[in-house]
Amino acid sequence: MRRALFLLVIFSVSGFVSADVANVYNFDTAQQEQRFQKLAEELRCPKCQNQNIADSGAPIAKDMRDEVYRMMGAGASDEDIMNALVARFGEFVRYKPQVEKRTLLLWATPFIAVFGGLLIVVGVVIRSRRSADHEPALTAGQKARAEKILAESKQGNNV
Amino acid sequence: MKRVFLFLPLLAALILGIVLFAGIGKDTQTLESALVGKPVPAFELTDLHAPENTLSQNLFQGKVHLLNVWATWCPSCRDEHQDLMWLAHNQGVPIIGLNYKDDRAKALTWLKRLGNPYTAVIHDPKGTLGFDLGVYGAPETFVIDAKGTVRFRHVGVVNQRVWENELLPVINDVKESG
């Protein structure tokens, strides 16, 4: 029991562990450290393509982090830094794709899917409610037949 | 009209199938080079064989070159070496080597032992030119035209198939259009 509790505690706090890449570099202010961390999280490692450069251990990710740090020190803006890295490695390194004609469908699809799903749900609900109002489950003739069968079976049971 | 709705899931599945099928066989690791159409970045690095000589981007002027990024720590580079020797010595293709993040002595020994397919080798121990070229892993091979403009990048080993299907067509295109 104690073991289970121990494991539970360990696993629940393990979610808060994250490698803070900014600690490897020296920053003058906490703000700068945060800015670096944010930039590192918005840039994708071109080698380990499902990781940002903050998380990736690949050599190219380290080179990119070094460059971000160097450019920050040289006074470049966030946009300058992103553009410089995109100029070398392509749009792919932007973790958040830019909203432009090419990526419009990429951005719009979740909204289209959810909206479309909602329309379908609403359509189904309206249609089923409409049929429940106007069309009874049995016609008058079928209802009479059903009552007759029920009456006969009751008589049969009483015998 | 209601019948049409019955076919919507089928239509969606068909479209999804076509889209996914189109992706089969494509190498997900390959990225298109952001430098296609741009000049080789300016650099000042030493010649691997002659450390007293400095090489620059002018190295590429005058004819169409292949720029091959390689290193002794890269196993795939070893794999493609024989193909590069064939390209250089049998096909007469001018190849410039970029020795990327490597030790000079090791690189020289490697070339002496295996043969040298390169007309010149740039020594890039810190990988600065590699970084500016958008290199994210060795081996990579670029096609550079006679004016020093990057025209194409291949990621991965160069072999007969890659040469015939990818590099040679680009080189021919470049030579024709100038």
Side-chain angles (χ1 to χ4, degrees):
Chain A
M1 181 57 199
R2 233 186 299 165
R3 186 124 172 260
L5 194 61
F6 174 72
L7 282 174
L8 180 67
V9 169
I10 292 283
F11 280 118
S12 55
V13 297
S14 67
F16 295 111
V17 171
S18 65
D20 201 4
V21 168
N23 288 336
V24 180
Y25 298 93
N26 292 322
F27 294 100
D28 290 332
T29 69
Q31 257 180 343
Q32 281 190 331
E33 202 175 313
Q34 278 174 356
R35 187 180 158 215
F36 178 85
Q37 189 70 21
K38 178 171 142 311
L39 279 168
E41 283 169 7
E42 280 181 19
L43 283 160
R44 189 197 307 265
C45 169
K47 188 85 186 152
C48 330
Q49 296 171 339
N50 59 350
Q51 284 183 307
N52 54 36
I53 62 173
D55 291 338
S56 172
I60 189 66
K62 176 171 182 308
D63 288 348
M64 286 170 78
R65 289 195 298 268
D66 286 347
E67 182 66 7
V68 171
Y69 180 69
R70 190 193 66 82
M71 286 186 80
M72 272 179 69
S77 70
D78 283 2
E79 201 185 321
D80 288 340
I81 296 176
M82 289 296 276
N83 287 341
L85 287 165
V86 167
R88 292 180 175 93
F89 297 97
E91 283 294 330
F92 186 73
V93 295
R94 253 190 245 271
Y95 230 112
K96 261 195 248 175
Q98 294 204 295
V99 183
E100 51 188 24
K101 205 169 53 159
R102 201 170 52 106
T103 58
L104 212 52
L105 197 58
L106 177 69
W107 281 103
T109 303
F111 298 101
I112 295 175
V114 169
F115 188 62
L118 272 172
L119 278 178
I120 291 173
V121 167
V122 167
V124 165
V125 166
I126 289 181
R127 212 175 300 135
S128 72
R129 204 177 292 159
R130 207 183 296 145
S131 64
D133 287 341
H134 297 304
E135 297 169 26
L138 298 175
T139 65
Q142 287 172 322
K143 209 168 170 200
R145 244 183 91 207
E147 279 171 6
K148 187 160 157 248
I149 293 170
L150 280 170
E152 279 172 12
S153 79
K154 253 194 225 147
Q155 278 183 344
N157 284 341
N158 287 337
V159 164
Chain B
M1 190 54 199
K2 281 180 197 166
R3 281 271 169 82
V4 175
F5 286 123
L6 269 177
F7 285 94
L8 278 181
L10 176 63
L11 189 64
L14 270 173
I15 292 176
L16 194 63
I18 292 169
V19 167
L20 292 176
F21 184 77
I24 290 180
K26 293 218 174 98
D27 181 3
T28 54
Q29 285 277 320
T30 305
L31 297 178
E32 265 181 30
S33 170
L35 274 116
V36 172
K38 293 196 207 154
V40 171
F43 65 92
E44 264 180 33
L45 294 165
T46 62
D47 184 327
L48 185 79
H49 288 94
E52 65 279 9
N53 286 358
T54 307
L55 301 172
S56 78
Q57 63 279 8
N58 295 325
L59 191 60
F60 296 95
Q61 297 289 323
K63 54 181 155 159
V64 177
H65 287 93
L66 287 182
L67 173 61
N68 175 253
V69 180
W70 67 279
T72 57
W73 46 260
C74 155
S76 307
C77 302
R78 175 72 187 85
D79 288 342
E80 70 170 2
H81 187 85
Q82 289 312 305
D83 289 282
L84 292 176
M85 292 290 282
W86 176 78
L87 279 179
H89 298 136
N90 287 49
Q91 303 295 306
V93 180
I95 312 179
I96 290 181
L98 177 59
N99 185 236
Y100 178 66
K101 293 195 171 185
D102 209 355
D103 175 74
R104 186 189 297 272
K106 284 193 188 147
L108 286 169
T109 310
W110 206 79
L111 288 177
K112 197 180 293 180
R113 191 165 53 89
L114 298 172
N116 185 3
Y118 306 112
T119 57
V121 182
I122 305 163
H123 187 221
D124 190 9
K126 298 213 181 88
T128 52
L129 176 56
F131 189 81
D132 285 341
L133 281 165
V135 169
Y136 58 97
E140 290 187 16
T141 302
F142 295 80
V143 176
I144 317 280
D145 71 15
K147 297 207 190 86
T149 308
V150 176
R151 300 297 283 261
F152 183 76
R153 166 178 70 182
H154 173 75
V155 174
V157 300
V158 167
N159 54 32
Q160 181 95 355
R161 191 175 43 83
V162 169
W163 167 248
E164 279 168 15
N165 295 348
E166 293 182 36
L167 297 176
L168 187 55
V170 172
I171 290 180
N172 287 339
D173 254 350
V174 167
K175 282 188 178 159
E176 259 165 57
S177 59

